[in-house]
Structure formats: C-alpha cells, structure tokens
C-alpha cells in the first residue's frame, strides 16, 4: 500500500527552521499500531494522518514517536498546508480530532487555526519540576501542560534541562513543561510579546522546536497580563518558530506559515 507522505516545516517561512511534521494522506485510518510505527520511524515530534470525510470535512489524528496525541498545532498547520498543495478548494477546512473540531483558514501567506483556549490554573508544583528545568524559583501554573513563568528572555534561552529527570515528573495526559517570559526585540528589529520553550520528554520529545497547542494556554495568560488580545510569540528553540495569536473569548486563533521539505510515498 502506497501512502502519500509530506515532510513540512511549520511555523516558519524558511526551510530547516520551525517544527518538522510528517503528514500522511489516507483513504481510511490504518491500524493504530501501524500509524504508531510510522510515527516512530519518522522520528518527528508529530506525524499527522488525514482522512477525507463524506461531508467534505477531514478526520485528523496525531502521533508522537511514542503515543497518540490529543491536540497538536504544528501538525494541524502542516496538514492544512498539504491540503492546499494538493489543490483543496473549499476553505475553511474543518478537522475532526480528539481535541474537538478545529477550523483552519488561509490567511495572507499562511494559515490561521481556531483552537480551544486552555487557561492555566494555580496548582501544586511537583517537587522535581523546577530542579529538572535548572530553575530555583518561578511561577508555576497548569493546564494540560505545566506553564513556568520566569523573569527574562535570557532565562528561557539559556535553559538546559535534565531531560531524564524531567521525564520522571508526573505531568499527566501526555503534557509537558512550557517555560515562558515577557517579550523582546528580535534580531530583525521586530518585537514579540512573549517567548517560550516546550519540553515533553515523557512522550519521546525532549524539546519541541515550535509548538502550536501551547498557545491555547500561553495566549490567554499573556493577554491578561499585557492587556491585549493579539500577541506575537517566538519559540526560542534551536530551530525557532514564530506565531501570531489572537484570544477570542474561549478560542485562540493561531497564525503561522509552513514550508514543504519533501514529498513522496510510504510503502506499508
């Protein structure tokens, strides 16, 4: 069986940046175990599997190298980008997922995704979380992921977590640890409202290069703190990533670009 396959770099306009995602276009979902093996073989943080529905919408599932995910932004962006490459003409696109129905529209030279807001709440801090991140003190809140707020961009950029120790922290629900700080003037003279990094070693992803779903939590937090609904974000991983986020009630609109790296066929 030959499966059309695409390798897409998400949340970037350049190759070799952003977050790589695999996208498989299927007529029907394969067995869960086969899709998990494909994701493990790809070794991307996420591989998306897309199936067209009779009503014109699409079913979408995401797999990390180790588990099926409940919500993924960069592989959703990659999936919409691939549908556009393949000539899909009906926009917005509606993806039916484990995280609900997600709508994507084409916008300028990118795509805007409509995701559910997941505001962080006060929480008890796991004893090993901050030491594993190399931090002594920080504000910690929780939604799906732990959100760790530090004082400076330099702290976020300079993090060197102990991934083995971080993987042992009980995050629950396949979540991870987001570390974030207020914004900075970028090298090209632009400004961002906040910066972040994302670590998920418990599901086989030490650091996710450019993550969409975490802005379901980050954007509401920074919107409240900065008093604005539209925010520019920058992920400070080695590959980097840029997003424009807009808080709209209980939804967060996440805008980004994508680039095709390669396409081919997977034989299974």
């Amino acid at each position: 069986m030959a499966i059309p396959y695409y390798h897409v770099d998400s949340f970037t306009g350049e190759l070799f940046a952003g977050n790589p995602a695999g996208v498989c276009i299927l007529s029907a979902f394969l067995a869960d175990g086969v899709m998990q093996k494909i994701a493990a073989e790809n070794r991307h943080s996420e591989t998306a599997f897309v199936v067209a529905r009779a009503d014109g919408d699409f079913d979408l599932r995401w797999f990390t190298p180790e588990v099926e995910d409940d919500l993924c932004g960069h592989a959703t962006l990659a999936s919409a980008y691939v549908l556009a490459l393949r000539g899909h003409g009906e926009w917005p696109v509606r993806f039916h997922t484990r995280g609900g129905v997600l709508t994507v529209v084409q916008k300028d030279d990118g795509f805007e995704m409509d995701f559910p807001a997941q505001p962080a709440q006060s929480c008890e801090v796991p004893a090993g979380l901050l030491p594993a991140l190399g931090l002594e003190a920080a504000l910690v809140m929780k939604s799906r992921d732990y959100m760790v707020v530090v004082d400076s961009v330099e702290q976020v950029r300079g993090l060197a977590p102990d991934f083995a120790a971080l993987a042992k922290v009980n995050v629950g629900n396949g979540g991870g640890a987001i570390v974030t700080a207020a914004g900075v003037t970028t090298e090209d003279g632009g400004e961002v409202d906040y910066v972040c990094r994302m670590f998920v070693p418990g599901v086989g992803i030490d650091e996710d290069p450019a993550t969409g779903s975490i802005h379901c939590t980050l954007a509401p937090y920074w919107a409240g703190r900065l008093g604005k609904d539209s925010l520019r974000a920058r992920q400070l991983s080695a590959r980097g990533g840029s997003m424009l986020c807009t808080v709209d009630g209980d939804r967060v609109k996440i805008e980004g670009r994508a680039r095709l790296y390669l396409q081919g066929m997977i034989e299974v």
Side-chain angles (χ1 to χ4, degrees), residues 76-231:
T76 302
L77 174 59
S79 298
Y81 175 81
V82 167
L83 292 179
L85 282 180
R86 291 171 62 90
H88 182 72
E90 298 292 329
W91 297 86
V93 166
R94 287 166 47 91
F95 292 113
H96 296 253
T97 79
R98 289 175 64 169
V101 177
L102 307 176
T103 302
V104 184
V105 299
Q106 290 181 302
K107 189 170 183 180
D108 301 325
D109 60 347
F111 299 84
E112 182 183 78
M113 303 180 291
D114 187 336
F115 272 40
Q118 297 179 334
Q121 307 295 328
S122 299
C123 67
E124 183 175 343
V125 182
L129 178 62
L130 293 181
L133 290 168
L135 298 170
E136 294 183 359
L139 170 66
V140 180
M141 302 175 73
K142 191 176 190 306
S143 179
R144 178 193 65 176
D145 310 296
Y146 282 102
M147 182 183 72
V148 180
V149 184
V150 297
D151 294 331
S152 71
V153 172
E154 289 72 23
Q155 283 180 283
V156 178
R157 183 179 286 115
L159 286 173
D162 180 338
F163 292 119
L166 189 57
K168 296 176 182 178
V169 176
N170 182 15
V171 177
N173 299 320
I178 312 163
V179 183
T180 185
V184 64
T185 300
T186 60
E187 293 178 358
D188 60 5
E191 292 188 356
V192 295
D193 295 292
Y194 62 89
V195 299
C196 58
R197 290 173 69 185
M198 175 61 166
F199 308 104
V200 207
V203 296
I205 307 166
D206 283 350
E207 179 168 8
D208 201 33
T211 317
S213 61
I214 61 175
H215 299 283
C216 298
T217 298
L218 289 169
Y221 172 79
W222 287 110
R225 183 163 159 179
L226 299 177
K228 56 193 301 187
D229 292 333
S230 182
L231 306 113

Side-chain angles (χ1 to χ4, degrees), residues 11-126:
F11 293 117
T12 181
E14 303 175 358
L15 290 177
F16 315 117
N19 200 350
V23 179
C24 296
I25 303 297
L26 304 171
S27 58
F29 287 122
L30 307 172
D32 288 3
V34 175
M35 291 190 289
Q36 187 64 73
K37 287 179 180 179
I38 291 172
E41 186 75 11
N42 287 344
R43 296 189 293 278
H44 301 312
S45 59
E46 302 271 358
T47 296
F49 297 87
V50 182
V51 175
R53 295 161 53 104
D55 60 5
D57 292 354
F58 294 86
D59 289 320
L60 174 62
R61 294 172 70 180
W62 314 280
F63 286 78
T64 80
E66 295 187 5
V67 299
E68 184 171 5
D69 207 348
D70 290 331
L71 188 66
C72 177
H74 84 277
T76 302
L77 174 59
S79 298
Y81 175 81
V82 167
L83 292 179
L85 282 180
R86 291 171 62 90
H88 182 72
E90 298 292 329
W91 297 86
V93 166
R94 287 166 47 91
F95 292 113
H96 296 253
T97 79
R98 289 175 64 169
V101 177
L102 307 176
T103 302
V104 184
V105 299
Q106 290 181 302
K107 189 170 183 180
D108 301 325
D109 60 347
F111 299 84
E112 182 183 78
M113 303 180 291
D114 187 336
F115 272 40
Q118 297 179 334
Q121 307 295 328
S122 299
C123 67
E124 183 175 343
V125 182

